[in-house]
Amino acid sequence: MHKIILILIATIYWSSIYGQTPIDSIFENSYKVYESQRLPNGMYRDSKLFSGTDYHPISIANTGMGLIALCIADGMNWINDAPNLALNTLKSVTGHHQTFNPDRTSNGYFRHFMDINTGQRAWNSEYSTIDTDILMSGALFAMKYFEDDSITHYTMELWNSIDFEAAIENPNTGKIYLSMNANGTGVSNSLTSPYSEYMIVAWLAKNATDTPSSVGNQLWNNYYGSPSLLPKVTYGGFQVLSDNPTSFLSSFTHQFNYYLCNYFTTSTDYITFFENAQKADAAWWSFNNNQYEWGLGAGSAITNSYQANAINNNIDAIVSPHIIAGFIPVNPSGKNDLLTLWNNNKGKYLLPSGASILWRYSKNDAFWQPNEIIGIDYSTMLFGLATLPEYLGDSFFITNNDFFSTPTTNTTNLNSKSDKNMAIYPNPCTNSFQISNLNEDRKYVIYNILGQEIQKGIFFNNKAVDIQNLPNGLLYFTIYVDGIRSSTFKIIKI
C-alpha cells in the first residue's frame, strides 16, 4: 500500500511540473522507438542502437509491428500523417517503390531480414513464415483501423500474393514450416509443433480460403479451435499452454497471439490461459525480493547476444518490462510495476533522441546494458500500454485485429472495403435470397459444407439468387471480382 501511495504522489508531482505523467512518458516514448527504427521507404529496422551508427537491416516482422504502431500513434494524436506513412510502407512491401524490391518466394514469403535500400536478403536470413504473417497482420490491422481505400488496395494486393496454406506441413500433426524455399515449398527440417506464436500462421491459413475442408481449416480444427486440444505445462499451480508438456515458452508467445489473433483475444478459454501465463511468469520470480521485477521475454542478453527467456530458462535473470506491459489486459496492476521500475531507474535507458524508455536489464549484473532495442520484441510494451482505459482501451485491439468479421447472419472472411456493407436477406432462406447494398453485377460460387462447388453464376443487382434446387443446410456464398474472391457469406437454407 505504501508503494502505491508513493507512486501516486510521484505521478501527481510529475504531472503538475511537466504536464505529462510518467506513464504518459513511458507510453509515448515507446512509440518513439518505432519512429527511430523507421526508414525513408517506410520499412523498419530490426533494432535501434542506443549509441553509435545504426547498422541493423530491415525486419519484415518489425515492419508489421510498425504499421500497428502508426495506428496507435494516430489514435493518440501523436502524429498527423499516419495514413500516408502506412501507405508508404505498404507500397514498399508490395514492390511499388522503384529501387526497392523485396526478396520473396514464388508464393509470397519474405526474407526475415532485408537490405535497407534494395529489399534483398540480409544476414543470410531465411524466408520466414511467421515474420511474413506478422507483417500481414500489421497490414490488415492498418486496413481495418484507417478504412482508407489506398491502404485497403495495397493490403489486399499483399494478401492475395501469399499462399498462407503452403506454410502447413501436416494438418494432422499440426506441424508448420518455420522457413520456406525460394520455389514456395517448405524447408523439410524446419518445423514447429503446436502451441506457439505460430498460431498466427494457423489463423491466417484458416481464413485464407472459404473451403471448409482446406488444410488451414483442418489444422485449426485439429489443434487451435480450442485450447483443450493443445499441450500444457504447470508452474506454481498455473496451467499454461506450451509446445510440449515438459518445458515453457517465453511469455511473448502468448502476447503475440493475444494482440494479433482475434480468436485468442475474444475467447474466454484462451484468456484463462493468458491469465495463467501472467501468473506463472510472476510466480517464477519468487526468489526476487521486489515483486514488481518480473517478465520473461525475448531480446538482448548477456550469455548470448539474444535470448528468449522462459520459466526455468533465464540464466542471466533478465527482467523484461515489455512483458509486464503486454499482460496489462489481464493484469492492470502491471501499470504500477512499470511506474516503480521507472521511478527506481531500473531498465531505464535513453534513446539517441533523448527519450527515456524501459527495456531489459539483469538482476545478476547491475552494470550490464544492452546495445540495442529490438523492435519486434519491444512491441508488447506499446501494445499493452495502449489498452489502458485512459488511453485506447482493450477494445482497440479487439476491434482492429478482427480482420475476418463474423456477424450473426454472415461471415466476411476478407471482404474488400467496397463490400463491407453488403448483407444477405432473408437468412435463413428457403428458395432464394438477395443482397443489399450491392450496386453492380458480380460472379458467384456456392459451396457446400465439404467445400464442393454446387452452383455458380452471375448475381444481377436487385435480382434474387435462386437456390430452390440446393440441399438444405449451411452453404457458403462467395463473390468474385476479377477472378479474386471478394466476399463470402454463410447462408442457411431451410
Side-chain angles (χ1 to χ4, degrees), residues 5-61:
I5 292 172
L6 287 172
I7 290 171
L8 289 174
I9 292 172
T11 298
I12 293 169
Y13 174 76
W14 183 286
S15 181
S16 65
I17 298 297
Y18 298 104
Q20 189 179 51
T21 67
I23 201 67
D24 291 338
S25 297
I26 297 170
F27 183 28
E28 185 170 356
N29 290 355
S30 66
Y31 169 71
K32 292 178 181 178
V33 169
Y34 294 91
E35 207 168 46
S36 71
Q37 293 171 342
R38 185 179 173 89
L39 295 161
N41 58 13
M43 305 299 285
Y44 289 77
R45 288 187 187 270
D46 173 68
S47 302
K48 177 66 180 177
L49 294 177
F50 286 110
S51 63
T53 303
D54 288 312
Y55 62 86
H56 290 83
I58 290 165
S59 161
I60 201 65

Side-chain angles (χ1 to χ4, degrees), residues 66-178:
L67 285 166
I68 298 175
L70 290 174
C71 299
I72 293 171
D74 184 80
M76 292 300 299
N77 293 315
W78 293 332
I79 58 177
N80 57 20
D81 57 348
N84 288 331
L85 294 175
L87 183 59
N88 189 36
T89 300
L90 290 167
K91 286 182 177 180
S92 283
V93 299
T94 51
H96 288 284
H97 282 167
Q98 189 172 8
T99 60
F100 189 82
N101 185 28
D103 185 4
R104 306 174 67 182
T105 66
S106 61
N107 53 358
Y109 289 90
F110 290 80
R111 291 286 185 188
H112 186 163
F113 299 115
M114 299 187 301
D115 181 90
I116 65 171
N117 296 310
T118 66
Q120 294 305 288
R121 186 184 195 181
W123 284 1
N124 199 33
S125 64
E126 78 284 13
Y127 293 111
S128 171
T129 56
I130 183 62
D131 291 81
T132 297
D133 284 10
I134 290 174
L135 168 70
M136 187 72 252
S137 297
L140 291 168
F141 196 103
M143 182 181 80
K144 185 70 179 284
Y145 173 79
F146 288 114
E147 293 190 334
D148 176 271
D149 287 332
S150 294
I151 289 174
T152 297
H153 171 82
Y154 289 106
T155 299
M156 292 297 291
E157 180 178 331
L158 180 62
W159 172 266
N160 290 318
S161 71
I162 302 169
D163 181 358
F164 295 98
E165 290 189 301
I168 300 172
E169 191 266 346
N170 189 327
N172 296 316
T173 63
K175 290 188 180 297
I176 292 174
Y177 291 112
L178 299 169

